[in-house]
């Protein structure tokens, strides 16, 4: 059992926060461009009905962005099973950036390579059950409420609207997949759901709890009640390792070696096997779109605590 | 001066119409899928105030589809000049299919390779002047009316609507270009104009007259009045040679060797230097999307009449 | 501790050997095309000075082919360190086939994506120390002798020669990298070393022992003496997970979830954390170039024994 | 008939020679890197037994480099016919650079797009008749001697050797094609022939005469004796228009509009229909690898003399 306490988190966060200067807040999404780069926070949620530990501005709320890709994947797997989900989206890592469209044209049959790139995540969201976008968003919110044990979880309407209005690239990906039968129904409705799932807001303590559920093989870290089927948790963790950190996933697997997922708001959740969930937030991003402070914190902690699963 | 009379056209059309069996009507556009493959027609419009010659169902009306790409290019060049137009679209032939999106992602800066592929044609249409799509369509229709000397030219509303509703790929291309600043304004409005320009209807005699204007360096083939600036006509003819026949353009240049443009309705217009314009229609298409009957007719006539400009 | 005994291996090998019918012996390498598809074997080498367990034709010798990529990577890391090695080859998984050349042209600066694709493996072999190819091969052989604890390990001269004579694709990759400064010196000499490392022969018991060293973090599974630095073992295992099974690596991570490396001779080595090394041989390959019998055996054992590290 | 006299050439060469400052001598071929950028020359060889006109250093000898691609294409067409040649190489323009390898991997079946890119030219040279490279080179030299009416034409041994030693990219292309059955026999022998054909030396007067033969449909510009079959001349001219100027061919077709071929030594030959052949030399190249002075001279002359075939 790997032990992490608040002193650890304080120490390491202090140590790495300077790196925020090396990154840049995501400026291509208007609602994210206003985030203050000096904000940072981290939390560790242990398995076994123990106290969450945190450091920095741990009550600061942020949108989960691409972290939602893991959650909709879990939901789609629960609702439809592996066979159905993987008939629409592949399982292979991609060396292209998360927004890339090329492979959709090159691959025959056309299928997004995995559910962690935008095209794949859009195809997965398209599968979520619900009559209309409102019901679909509610399904996703309910899963996040379940995993965080917080029924008040909502999405940020302003961020959602801002992303919806500028989601030209995601529209291009969606229409391309609609042409190829990967996506069905209204693209505008799909974009409505997708931009809302990305805009779900949490703080690091809540995000750490989500990670802790995965670390506990899908079970509640406090009560051990099953929240996700264990094989669903396992599939999600596998994708987090092979494709969770955009096109820096391979490097992250070598440097850190744990299942993790980042979002362009500057959040990262990391899954520490049989120990707990770690979340870190810092909006300054590196070139691959990962939080600079988050990457350094995870690397240093992983070295110190020997987290790598490899 | 190359002479072509009605006897020639009858002879060669009889000779090649059997090849319709080797092709397939475009089935990805619902409104085109109903076309009868056995219909065919051809016409030659000579320069010099002489009678148009024709063979087959010469009064049959069809939509011009991609032939419209040449006409909007001419219009954009007249309205904005070469520099402005070629800041948005390139001049190089592409070896990729007309619907391809890859190069938009790969090329830096992102710019469609030329105005004859869909991406390039959409970027050109986006430049046409007009407050709203209705005025833009009217601008295009007026050019076609001028070139055909027929003020009654209209677009087919049913075909336009059918293409609009299924234009997922063109939406993907447009949103991708909007993301990259190549296209501005509403994508839906652009698609409205684009699907209407593709649905403009003519018969082979009218299409042959359009080609004859290009053959006469932009001047009316009957009156010699200038209808297009001669350098605009020349630029259009150059693109017809290097990129006019989709990804069979290079082969066509070797086998036939004249400026030509095809449309997936099954029409082709060919420009015979200092002689006149030839049009041919036959909706059965080969794999590249060119009329099978049209390709054979042009090849045989080009061999017989030594049309090649090379 | 996961226990595997000979009964297990017999049972599961019997169970899966029928799948050989679904595969095809690698026919593009003349010396491999003669392999008999019905041969199969498996062995498990436990950590902790216990007996190796095996089933099938466990003394049958085969060439290690791409398994050698892991071993030269380990050797290069020992000889030059991470920084030097990863200045020549990347860390990211590729969705392209192992023989692909495209990305070398597209990526700027040009660098093979990872050491498990052919381009990357050639770049790594190019770094191995030695005056001339003979010394370089000896270095590699010595590592294999150390890991197998068998000083008699050699390469198969006939297979090496056969691959050398037909290695047109690897020459293309090498010359392309030489043009871009990734590879230095004589390409023919590099190919000489590379085809010999691929032709090193072992049986499943020896291959399982190599895997057991990785499972034991680089230490001898019997004596616990360090044979490889533990961080080198960890880096190698990470690559085995993200890129070890050609372009089926992502699927394998989900279905099996252990570090593994396959070779086109039909061998696979799998690393079972803290437990031991498993090797399997069966020359009939699936479309990705992985042993069909091997893939089924690993999948079934992983399900039964809950091997997944995720 | 377009008239060009020495006064014209002097005037225009003076006018454009300043642009040499905007270009850069090819530095990736050691033997070319020494060329002096301020050297320039031009010549016009008229049809009809008239005097050649020239300006600048018209007796300066240079290697023809990629201009040889047109000549080996002509030779292969004469020796094997269109069907055989185009079973090995395509007819479509490429938007990729002349040295690109990607499309060879992407296109199924693998075939170089056209004979003007390096891959295609290598495939064509591979078809030239001859027992061994010496006889093949002699065949090519004999064609150049015939077209220039100068039996003393040779290749530059130093340039050939220099290019042979550094032709890593052409080796990569050749081995890739050998893997795919496009190229047969020894790659080293092919490279030997190819680098020698590129190193054939001429001056602008001789190069202008070669162009004049194409302008005269394959016939000697002085005597009208057939030197090349007219259909072979026509096919070559067509490729010069669609792919003759590397990936600036489309732009050149619009700006100049004549069949032309450039070489990285800094030479360009241009074919003026029914008039004659123009050659220009200036070793400073633009980004596409075309002579800066040459491009400006051709553009200005084409504007002034209305050369465009379109």
């Amino acid at each position: 059992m790997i032990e992490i306490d608040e002193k650890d988190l304080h120490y390491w966060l202090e140590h790495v926060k300077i790196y925020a200067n090396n990154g840049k807040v995501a400026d291509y999404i208007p609602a994210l461009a206003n985030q203050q780069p000096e904000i940072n926070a981290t939390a560790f949620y242990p398995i076994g009905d123990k106290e969450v530990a945190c450091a920095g501005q741990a009550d600061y709320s942020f949108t989960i962005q691409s972290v939602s890709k893991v959650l909709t994947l879990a939901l789609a797997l629960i609702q439809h099973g592996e066979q159905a989900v993987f008939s629409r989206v592949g399982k292979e890592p991609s060396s292209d950036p998360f927004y890339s469209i090329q492979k959709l044209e090159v691959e025959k049959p056309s299928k997004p390579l995995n559910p962690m790139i935008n095209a794949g995540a859009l195809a997965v969201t398209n599968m979520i059950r619900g009559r209309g976008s409102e019901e679909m968003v509610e399904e996703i919110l309910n899963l996040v409420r379940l995993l965080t044990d917080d029924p008040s979880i909502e999405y940020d309407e302003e961020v959602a609207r801002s992303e919806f209005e500028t989601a030209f690239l995601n529209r291009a990906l969606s229409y391309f997949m609609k042409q190829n039968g990967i996506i069905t129904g209204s693209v505008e409705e799909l974009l409505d759901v997708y931009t809302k799932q990305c805009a779900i807001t949490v703080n690091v303590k809540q995000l750490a709890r989500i990670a802790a559920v995965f670390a506990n093989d899908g079970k509640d870290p406090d009560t051990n009640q099953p929240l996700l089927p264990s094989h669903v948790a396992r599939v999600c963790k596998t994708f987090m390792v092979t494709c969770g950190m955009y096109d820096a996933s391979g490097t992250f697997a070598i440097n850190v070696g744990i299942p993790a997922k980042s979002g362009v708001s500057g959040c990262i959740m990391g899954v520490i096997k049989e120990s707990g969930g770690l979340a870190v937030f810092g909006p300054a991003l590196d070139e691959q779109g990962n939080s600079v402070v988050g990457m350094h914190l995870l690397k240093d902690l992983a070295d110190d605590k020997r987290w790598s699963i490899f």
Side-chain angles (χ1 to χ4, degrees), chain A residues 117-145:
Chain A
I117 53 173
N118 283 18
L122 286 160
V124 166
T125 294
N126 189 237
M127 300 183 77
I128 301 301
R129 286 206 181 119
R131 272 166 308 186
S133 59
E134 210 170 324
E135 273 189 35
M136 292 165 77
V137 173
E138 202 59 24
E139 287 276 329
I140 301 168
L141 277 169
N142 281 338
L143 178 65
V144 183
R145 288 162 186 160

Side-chain angles (χ1 to χ4, degrees), chain A residues 131-287:
Chain A
R131 272 166 308 186
S133 59
E134 210 170 324
E135 273 189 35
M136 292 165 77
V137 173
E138 202 59 24
E139 287 276 329
I140 301 168
L141 277 169
N142 281 338
L143 178 65
V144 183
R145 288 162 186 160
L146 179 74
L147 300 181
T148 55
D149 192 26
D150 186 339
S152 74
I153 296 286
E154 281 295 344
Y155 62 85
D156 182 318
E157 286 191 28
E158 193 198 323
V159 172
R161 190 170 40 243
S162 164
E163 294 197 33
F164 183 82
E165 281 163 6
T166 56
F168 307 129
L169 198 54
N170 284 334
R171 277 182 178 83
L173 290 165
S174 298
Y175 277 114
F176 198 92
M177 289 190 283
K178 188 168 171 66
Q179 173 76 23
N180 289 288
I182 307 286
I183 274 179
T184 57
S186 158
V187 166
E188 292 303 310
E189 192 168 276
L190 171 59
L191 266 290
D192 182 33
V193 179
Y194 187 74
T195 49
K196 282 171 180 166
Q197 82 178 49
C198 287
I200 290 173
T201 56
V202 295
N203 59 36
V204 282
K205 291 182 283 188
Q206 292 164 327
L207 187 60
R209 197 183 199 278
I210 295 175
V213 175
F214 285 102
N216 201 25
D217 290 332
K219 299 187 297 279
D220 187 301
D222 298 323
T223 67
N224 255 341
Q225 291 301 307
L227 305 180
L228 300 172
S230 68
H231 73 271
V232 166
R234 186 168 57 75
V235 169
C236 290
K237 280 184 281 185
T238 311
F239 277 117
M240 283 191 245
V241 167
T242 55
C243 342
M245 304 301 282
Y246 304 126
D247 44 328
S249 299
T251 304
F252 186 85
I254 286 172
N255 290 347
V256 182
I258 61 167
K261 185 73 203 83
S262 58
V264 287
S265 55
C267 62
I268 307 180
M269 73 168 177
V271 175
I272 301 114
K273 206 179 168 77
E274 291 162 18
S275 170
L278 189 112
V280 52
F281 176 77
L285 307 180
D286 62 21
E287 277 185 21

Side-chain angles (χ1 to χ4, degrees), chain A residues 30-66:
Chain A
L32 295 182
N34 305 321
Q35 293 192 116
Q36 290 176 276
E38 67 278 10
I39 291 177
N40 56 60
T42 185
F44 178 73
Y45 202 105
I47 296 172
D49 205 11
K50 285 177 276 185
E51 285 288 292
V52 62
C54 48
Q57 289 152 275
D59 291 313
Y60 182 84
S61 277
F62 47 84
T63 57
I64 60 174
Q65 300 297 334
S66 287

